[in-house]
Amino acid sequence: APFAGTLQCLAMDPDRPETLYAGTAAHGLYKTVDGGNTWFALPEALPNVTAIVIAPRATSTVYVLSEGKVLKSVNAGLHWQYADSYRDDAVGQCLAVNPKDSQLVYVGLKDGMHRSDDGRQTWVRSEAGLDKASVRVISVDPLKPNVVYASTDTSLFVSTDSGHSWEQRSPIMAYTEATILALNSDPKNGQMFYASVAGGGLYKTHDGGEKWEHVGKNLPASWITAIA
């Protein structure tokens, strides 16, 4: 087997799709440059890697969450720097990078959100309207990167000012109390989203979360944990 330990996350280089990174629970990061035919372990064994984000337009810059803290590599994973100047005990759950500015990074927390405008030097809380909710998934509109979406345990929020303030969108009405497990946007249409809901399968919106429709009737109803 190419991996030691449990595989937890995967990221593809948008410029070189044959290059992928895989994060594991106990054995750090693995990388392939030939579309998965061969894998090698990256030098630094980071513990419990739960998220990987490759910066668009600067794909040698990679961010990961390791043990809930942010690390950054500027040389495609060969070396990692602690990129996390939190002043509290916040634990990161998800990551997103502005597609037009790799220095603007969002980190979803168990009690809100942090944002960095300088790639790692400083972080500020960016959660007006989120009410300290547990942020599970963050998605940045690929065409209008000032528009950012965040899903909490049961709700979808939208920010139109790059995360400074947030407002709640309509829930997925059939499962208003269900947990949103995964969220992803159409890369050519920032208003079109897919969301998976615990116990509810896969849903789609054409208007940024105002209305949802159930799609993928042949898919399993529960525990769809990733959408691409």
Side-chain angles (χ1 to χ4, degrees):
F3 304 106
T6 302
L7 178 63
Q8 300 198 121
C9 51
L10 191 69
M12 177 184 288
D13 187 318
D15 292 339
R16 294 174 292 277
E18 69 280 1
T19 296
L20 300 99
Y21 299 81
T24 66
H27 296 275
L29 281 161
Y30 290 80
K31 183 176 181 179
T32 177
V33 294
D34 58 10
N37 290 316
T38 57
W39 293 84
F40 56 91
L42 290 173
E44 298 180 32
L46 307 179
N48 194 26
V49 178
T50 56
I52 308 166
V53 174
I54 303 170
R57 303 190 178 190
T59 58
S60 62
T61 298
V62 185
Y63 295 90
V64 301
L65 279 176
S66 172
E67 291 289 288
K69 297 297 184 181
V70 183
L71 291 98
K72 177 183 178 182
S73 172
V74 294
N75 53 12
L78 293 179
H79 176 66
W80 296 90
Q81 293 176 301
Y82 187 60
D84 192 337
S85 59
Y86 297 154
R87 302 301 181 187
D88 53 35
D89 295 325
V91 176
Q93 299 191 122
C94 53
L95 277 170
V97 177
N98 184 305
K100 295 184 179 180
D101 180 3
S102 64
Q103 296 293 296
L104 205 170
V105 185
Y106 302 92
V107 183
L109 311 171
K110 289 186 176 180
D111 61 348
M113 181 177 293
H114 275 150
R115 161 189 161 143
S116 175
D117 294 319
D118 53 21
R120 69 174 290 270
Q121 299 300 321
T122 57
W123 295 87
V124 295
R125 283 202 168 256
S126 178
E127 56 196 19
L130 284 174
D131 298 325
K132 298 283 187 178
S134 176
V135 178
R136 301 172 62 91
V137 186
I138 308 168
S139 183
V140 183
D141 189 315
L143 303 180
K144 299 177 181 178
N146 61 299
V147 178
V148 187
Y149 294 88
S151 70
T152 64
D153 286 335
T154 59
S155 301
L156 179 68
F157 289 80
V158 63
S159 171
T160 58
D161 55 10
S162 300
H164 290 289
S165 62
W166 298 85
E167 64 180 32
Q168 188 172 359
R169 283 288 168 90
S170 298
I172 300 174
M173 296 305 294
Y175 294 90
T176 55
E177 299 302 321
T179 299
I180 297 171
L181 300 175
L183 180 75
N184 211 339
S185 63
D186 186 311
K188 295 182 180 180
N189 182 354
Q191 291 289 294
M192 185 180 297
F193 276 85
Y194 297 87
S196 64
V197 176
L202 188 67
Y203 284 77
K204 181 179 180 179
T205 177
H206 294 272
D207 53 14
E210 294 289 350
K211 298 178 182 177
W212 295 87
E213 62 176 317
H214 186 251
V215 295
K217 291 181 172 58
N218 294 327
L219 292 173
S222 61
W223 300 109
I224 298 171
T225 57
I227 304 167

